[in-house]
Every structure is written in structure tokens, then in C-alpha cells.
Amino acid sequence: MSDQNVRNAGFTPSGITGGSLASSMMSREATASGGGVPSGGPTSTLQGMGARGTTHSSGFTSTGISGGSKASGMMSREATTHGGGVPRGGTTSTVQSI
């Protein structure tokens, strides 16, 4: 994943761009969680990466998640929480897809 892909999706240093994939994700996530975007969810994770420009060091790559990376730790925690699998539409799968 590149910093440019994250920014192109609308996650930027100045915030989420209106009318973007990011704003659509934020809206759906806020609706699903009763009005707020939860910390650690896909929107907040990607916005943090977009604001800091840290996607290259996170472990989300075009060939998969790098072992021993922040991404692999995130995937492991999410899988443990969901009984062994990473849910479609969850933080790990959403961030990896972008």
C-alpha cells in the first residue's frame, strides 16, 4: 500500500476529503456504530496513516501483510477477537484492500 493510495482514497494530512471513499467509509462506520467512528476501526486507522504518511512502514503491502509488522499484529488481534478469522469489512481487511 502506498501513501498516495491512502490519500487518493481521501485520507489526508488535513482530514477526510468530502465526497471521497474515505467520507463514505466514515459515514457507514458512524451509522453502524450509532453515530461515532470508533477508535481502531478502519476509518480511524486509515486516517491516522494518511495524516502521518506511514503506510510503508506499517506492513500492509501489495503482496500481503508482512510478518512481524504492525499489520500482522493488528490481524492477529482481530482474528483472536473474532474466533480465528479476520472478518470481511473489518479493519485489517479494509486497510489491506486500500
Side-chain angles (χ1 to χ4, degrees), residues 7-12 15-26 28:
R7 288 193 180 115
N8 287 346
F11 299 99
T12 72
I16 291 177
T17 305
S20 66
L21 172 63
S23 67
S24 176
M25 282 179 61
M26 182 175 67
R28 286 191 311 267

Side-chain angles (χ1 to χ4, degrees), residues 15-78:
I16 291 177
T17 305
S20 66
L21 172 63
S23 67
S24 176
M25 282 179 61
M26 182 175 67
S27 176
R28 286 191 311 267
E29 197 171 349
T31 299
S33 65
V37 176
S39 177
T43 301
S44 65
T45 299
L46 283 162
Q47 181 53 37
M49 290 178 174
R52 291 185 304 275
T54 58
T55 60
H56 294 292
S57 61
S58 65
F60 293 99
T61 73
S62 61
T63 58
I65 292 177
S66 299
S69 66
K70 178 180 178 181
S72 69
M74 181 185 296
M75 182 175 66
S76 177
R77 285 187 302 278
E78 194 169 9

